[in-house]
Amino acid sequence: MKRENLIPRPDWPQKMEQVGFGFHSIDGIYWDERACYALTSGEVDMLEAVTNELQQMCVEAAQHVIDHDLFDRFAIPREFVPLVIDSWNRDDATLFGRFDLSWDGRSPPKMLEYNADTPTSLIEASVAQWYWLREVKPAADQFNSLHEKLIAQWRHIAPGASVHFTCADSEEDIGNLDYLRDVAIQAGITGRFIDIAHIGWDAIGKRFVDEDNRPITTLFKLYPWEWLVREAFGQNLLSSDMRLIEPAWKMLWSNKAILPILWELFPDHPNLLPAYFEAQKFATDFVKKPLLSREGANIGIYAASGEIHTPGEYGEEGFIYQAYHPVPNFVVNGVDNHMVVGSWIVGDEAAGIGIREDESPITKNTSRFLPHYFV
């Protein structure tokens, strides 16, 4: 793997907007084609294998949590535990997820966390960087089968269904949701957008309804489970038969408590970092992570070289502690570019990667997205 400097295409903003990627410059530079990453086919094969193995390890970890009633470790409200267990035992289908990996191109990739419930940076990883490849590196290939696999997975999990799509009110979330609705429609699904604030509850029929009082039978939500279970209307999920994608069992994988569970089950695995529920396991060089947090909020790095903290509103539910493993840093003209690989899962198969960079070693919602190719 190597980082290559490039001259951006002069008309790249218009081309991004043509494929539905309208938030390409959110908070300044987001899509960044001043550089790209070049991989080999062997490296791609390795990343695919590692991602598939991590996915299967997470399956075993979730079963372990259920078998040993470890839900309190995850701060899942007790009244929702049966919902999690039932959805797991039914094998409720999942659409997608994204592992964040630290990988320098030489040593084995290390799992930093699993964005298994509401992963974003999807449209940029799927169509945006694919069209970049066709124009900038037409003789090369890309680790990217996201678009085709998403269509196939929608056909598998909801053939011919009517699905309502909802998310929080942010430009990025709406952009990702629009893309997911588009691939669902391509799969033959009727997809309707609904503002999450407009979802109603029919107390007589004990069902969720849309603005026209039509029952919502299937809801795809780019909205975290941990928010749903702590909101007043979320209690109605306990008496509703509405199907949710992602399913309730994803509360196990999207919670950073899964990291110590994985380390307990697979100690010294080459693709895991030591992780515990107790800070005392580390003298130094560790990262403090909230069980429930997003976009790098409330992360603390405690290293011999110094401490780094990010602000935020998370941490009330508790923390886990993971060994500090510096992500690769490509310094260009005195500017740090800390790189993280987002490795995508669709269904239960690896489906491609997206690469983000930040001047900070903590990846945030302001981090930049860079395309890649392989030969």
Side-chain angles (χ1 to χ4, degrees):
M1 178 188 66
K2 61 181 180 179
R3 188 182 192 273
E4 297 180 352
N5 291 324
L6 295 173
I7 298 174
R9 298 168 294 168
D11 57 348
W12 70 261
Q14 294 87 347
K15 290 185 174 178
M16 292 295 103
E17 289 158 15
Q18 287 170 5
V19 298
F21 182 26
F23 55 97
H24 52 70
S25 300
I26 191 170
D27 297 321
I29 297 175
Y30 176 50
W31 172 266
D32 189 356
E33 52 184 71
R34 296 173 298 177
C36 70
Y37 281 86
L39 286 72
T40 67
S41 59
E43 290 171 334
V44 166
D45 290 342
M46 180 273 298
L47 285 171
E48 182 177 30
V50 166
T51 302
N52 286 332
E53 184 173 2
L54 288 172
Q55 177 77 354
Q56 291 309 306
M57 289 160 60
C58 286
V59 171
E60 294 185 41
Q63 188 66 62
H64 178 80
V65 172
I66 291 171
D67 290 344
H68 295 84
D69 191 18
L70 301 178
F71 295 97
D72 290 346
R73 289 289 200 180
F74 290 70
I76 295 173
R78 269 289 152 183
E79 64 269 29
F80 281 89
V81 167
L83 198 68
V84 174
I85 295 174
D86 289 347
S87 71
W88 177 262
N89 289 338
R90 285 193 307 265
D91 196 22
D92 285 354
T94 169
L95 181 66
F96 66 162
R98 191 193 75 231
F99 288 100
D100 283 351
L101 307 174
S102 174
W103 178 58
D104 59 8
R106 298 182 300 275
S107 54
K110 300 291 187 182
M111 176 183 172
L112 301 175
E113 60 187 60
Y114 193 5
N115 301 278
D117 185 23
T118 58
T120 53
S121 75
L122 179 60
I123 188 171
E124 46 269 52
S126 180
V127 294
Q129 68 171 345
W130 180 255
Y131 281 106
W132 168 90
L133 178 79
R134 295 296 86 200
E135 186 166 334
V136 179
K137 301 285 184 180
D141 206 343
Q142 192 173 81
F143 184 19
N144 181 6
S145 57
L146 276 162
H147 192 77
E148 312 92 276
K149 284 185 175 176
L150 284 167
I151 293 174
Q153 187 65 2
W154 273 118
R155 287 177 178 150
H156 172 67
I157 66 177
S162 175
V163 180
H164 287 74
F165 287 75
T166 195
C167 68
D169 185 18
S170 80
E171 185 178 4
E172 182 181 6
D173 285 357
I174 291 171
N176 278 270
L177 190 75
D178 283 345
Y179 173 66
L180 285 164
R181 190 165 64 94
D182 179 66
V183 292
I185 290 170
Q186 291 183 52
I189 288 167
T190 301
R192 298 185 178 91
F193 173 79
I194 183 169
D195 188 313
I196 196 162
H198 295 163
I199 296 176
W201 174 249
D202 177 355
I204 297 175
K206 293 190 180 300
R207 60 190 184 183
F208 288 96
V209 295
D210 63 16
E211 306 99 316
D212 299 317
N213 211 36
R214 292 175 298 193
I216 301 175
T217 56
T218 302
L219 180 70
F220 176 86
K221 47 152 215 73
L222 202 62
Y223 191 83
W225 265 106
E226 66 262 25
W227 294 0
L228 285 177
V229 301
R230 288 166 173 81
E231 294 175 356
F233 82 92
Q235 296 295 314
N236 296 325
L237 292 168
L238 299 173
S239 56
S240 166
D241 60 359
M242 180 179 69
R243 178 187 182 191
L244 281 95
I245 306 171
E246 296 293 293
W249 62 260
K250 276 295 189 83
M251 281 190 261
L252 299 176
W253 287 2
S254 62
N255 188 307
K256 292 179 184 64
I258 201 68
L259 299 172
I261 301 296
L262 284 166
W263 185 251
E264 176 186 342
L265 295 177
F266 306 98
D268 300 318
H269 190 282
N271 302 122
L272 296 178
L273 293 169
Y276 305 97
F277 291 104
E278 305 85 16
Q280 294 80 2
K281 297 288 187 178
F282 296 103
T284 186
D285 292 335
F286 66 92
V287 183
K288 181 181 179 182
K289 295 182 174 182
L291 297 181
L292 306 171
S293 72
R294 300 184 175 273
E295 308 290 5
N298 299 100
I299 301 293
I301 295 177
Y302 299 82
S305 57
E307 295 186 13
I308 300 175
H309 300 271
T310 54
E313 300 177 352
Y314 298 97
E316 180 181 348
E317 294 81 11
F319 295 84
I320 62 96
Y321 304 86
Q322 185 183 52
Y324 177 50
H325 183 81
V327 298
N329 183 17
F330 297 84
V331 182
V332 179
N333 298 324
V335 177
D336 292 329
N337 296 283
H338 298 89
M339 184 269 277
V340 166
V341 176
S343 191
W344 286 90
I345 285 281
V346 174
D348 59 1
E349 294 182 353
I353 62 170
I355 295 174
R356 289 175 295 163
E357 287 185 346
D358 201 292
E359 293 184 21
S360 163
I362 299 175
T363 305
K364 303 180 292 296
N365 62 342
T366 54
S367 301
R368 293 167 286 108
F369 188 100
L370 282 72
H372 79 278
Y373 71 94
F374 76 86
V375 292

